[in-house]
């Protein structure tokens, strides 16, 4: 590598990980070389910190992490440097809207270290568990996130047409929220 880098940021899914959801050996070696040269390699993802931690351990690096699409930024020791959440009452209202208007979608709710779903046997949830290596818990947003005061992320999974419809609805009722959508070919 040439140039005078001070820090490097990298997405995880579709960028850093291979098709087996692993960090290629040569990539890991290059990242460790960067760290030895004093150049932090910062992981960035829509994943929760718990979903990122195994990758960080696999890399063996000691840099900060940016999780939940910058909703939570942690220092190298896991302490929160910055945090943005969807306020609790708003999150409960949004989840109620998803349940009423989009019952065919699987809705995962994340906040802190919690991943809450309505049905942990849902195929979409099980697929996400396989990718992240984490286990979802069944519960309600109102009960699980009251003490936290909000949520970091909603993940809606389902057929592309339904996701597009939900996206438009969210834009109508919550135009200030940040949304990330995968490529949907419909």
């Amino acid at each position: 590598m040439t140039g005078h880098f001070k820090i490097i940021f990298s997405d995880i899914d579709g960028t850093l990980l291979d098709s087996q959801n692993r960090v290629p050996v040569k990539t890991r070696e290059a990242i460790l070389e960067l760290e030895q040269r004093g150049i932090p390699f910062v992981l960035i993802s829509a994943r929760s910190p718990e979903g990122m931690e195994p990758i960080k351990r696999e890399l063996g690096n000691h840099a900060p992490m940016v999780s939940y699409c910058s909703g939570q930024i942690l220092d190298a020791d896991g302490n929160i440097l910055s945090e943005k959440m969807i306020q609790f009452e708003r999150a409960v209202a949004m989840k109620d809207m998803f349940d009423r208007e989009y019952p065919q979608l699987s809705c995962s709710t994340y906040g802190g270290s919690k991943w809450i779903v309505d049905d942990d046997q849902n195929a979409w949830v099980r697929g996400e568990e396989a990718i992240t290596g984490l286990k979802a818990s069944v519960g309600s947003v109102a009960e699980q996130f009251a003490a936290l005061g909000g949520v970091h992320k909603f993940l809606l999974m389902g057929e592309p047409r339904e996701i597009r419809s939900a996206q438009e609805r969210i834009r109508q009722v919550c135009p200030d929220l940040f949304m990330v959508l995968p490529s949907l070919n419909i």
Side-chain angles (χ1 to χ4, degrees):
M1 286 184 214
T2 60
H4 301 308
F5 301 103
K6 293 184 180 181
I7 191 167
I8 295 175
F9 296 87
S10 177
D11 183 35
I12 293 176
D13 297 299
T15 304
L16 182 64
L17 301 181
D18 63 18
S19 61
Q20 310 300 301
N21 290 315
R22 303 282 309 197
V23 178
V25 173
K26 290 187 185 241
T27 302
R28 182 181 182 278
E29 290 169 356
I31 292 167
L32 291 175
E33 180 185 323
L34 288 169
E35 187 167 284
Q36 290 170 353
R37 292 175 37 206
I39 302 170
F41 188 87
V42 180
L43 298 174
I44 301 177
S45 181
R47 290 182 182 211
S48 68
E50 292 74 21
M52 297 172 70
E53 195 59 44
I55 297 159
K56 185 176 178 175
R57 277 193 306 275
E58 182 181 349
L59 290 173
N61 77 333
H62 300 87
M65 289 191 314
V66 179
S67 62
Y68 296 128
C69 292
S70 79
Q72 190 175 67
I73 301 172
L74 306 174
D75 69 12
D77 296 320
N79 301 307
I80 297 172
L81 295 174
S82 175
E83 185 168 53
K84 295 177 186 168
M85 298 174 72
I86 301 169
Q87 189 250 0
F88 177 71
E89 289 80 13
R90 187 179 202 190
V92 170
M94 289 178 69
K95 178 63 167 87
D96 288 344
M97 179 187 74
F98 299 148
D99 290 348
R100 244 186 357 269
E101 298 180 25
Y102 301 97
Q104 67 281 12
L105 294 179
S106 173
C107 179
S108 291
T109 309
Y110 297 83
S113 61
K114 294 181 180 180
W115 173 18
I116 304 301
V117 297
D118 295 325
D119 176 7
D120 63 352
Q121 298 305 305
N122 176 283
W124 293 101
V125 172
R126 296 193 68 150
E128 190 69 10
E129 288 175 339
I131 291 168
T132 64
L134 300 175
K135 177 72 178 116
S137 297
V138 174
S140 77
V141 171
E143 292 173 6
Q144 295 296 318
F145 297 103
L148 190 59
V151 304
H152 286 103
K153 168 182 148 180
F154 285 109
L155 172 62
L156 298 175
M157 297 177 284
E159 295 304 317
R161 195 171 312 284
E162 297 300 327
I163 295 293
R164 289 266 188 236
S165 177
Q167 174 194 13
E168 290 307 313
R169 181 71 171 122
I170 294 165
R171 277 200 180 122
Q172 289 172 356
V173 298
C174 304
D176 59 313
L177 290 185
F178 176 71
M179 286 188 281
V180 176
L181 288 172
S183 291
L184 298 176
N185 298 320
I186 49 177

